[in-house]
Amino acid sequence: MNVGDVISTNSGACRVTKYETRLRVTVTFIDTGYTKTTSTQALRRGSVKDPYFPSIRGVACLGEGKFRASIHSRLTPEYKLYLSVTTRCYDTEFQQKNPTYRKCRLCEDWLNFQTFARDVSQMKNFGRRGFDLDKDLRILGNKEYGPSACSFIPHCINTVLLRREAEGVYLQDGGGFLTKLRMYNENVYLGTFKSKRKAMSIYREAKSEYVIELANTHRKELHPEVYNNLVNLNW
């Protein structure tokens, strides 16, 4: 093995830039420029790792820093969340089943797990049971996950917002449209109406009132921008 040799690894190709002994070989990964000292044995096995290689969904990397993907073979909370977010953004099979996530992406800084973990771990309600990472309530319609758009919101709010109008309006066999809204884990009957338009209108009105009620209940836990959007828009 000589200086200048290009070696293939599981993290892409690297070039030998310095050879001291078989236990101290310095290589530089061609795609990322990351430099590491390793052994000839590790190089021959192809097991030398580049932390900046896009090993997560083909777009994101683990990076270097204090945040770990696992501890004692158990995924850390930060990494579990990262896998969930990268799945939403870059797993085409997931997006086919959940089309609202199409065209979603991570901001460039969050393509590095270390930066993502640092930012989300400092957010209010991180790691708290019953809270979800949200990307589009601070900035309505936003498709990019990043520190300026994301916050943690109660799962009960996230659930009601994801619920579509069609899920609350049902055509009856005898005619008319039955309307109901799930509130506090119970289905609340809103009435049966001759026209679908009227049923949808009643459903939207009830949903808006319920969202405002939830927002006021959880106001102290919400980012101010999220609270303002929840109470000021017609859901």
Side-chain angles (χ1 to χ4, degrees), residues 3-5 12 21 45 51 60 63-64 71-72 79 86 99 106 112 115 123 141 146 159 168 172 187 211 217 220-221:
V3 172
D5 286 352
T21 70
R45 289 199 308 261
E64 289 183 294
I71 298 175
H72 303 308
Y79 194 63
T86 52
L106 272 67
N112 185 321
T115 308
M123 291 181 182
T159 300
Q172 300 297 286
N187 289 320
V211 168
T217 298
K220 292 182 179 180
E221 300 160 329

Side-chain angles (χ1 to χ4, degrees), residues 132 153-164 207:
D132 302 333
I153 66 171
H155 181 70
C156 61
I157 293 179
N158 198 24
T159 300
V160 72
L161 294 180
L162 289 173
R163 202 168 291 140
R164 295 171 296 182
K207 183 176 179 178

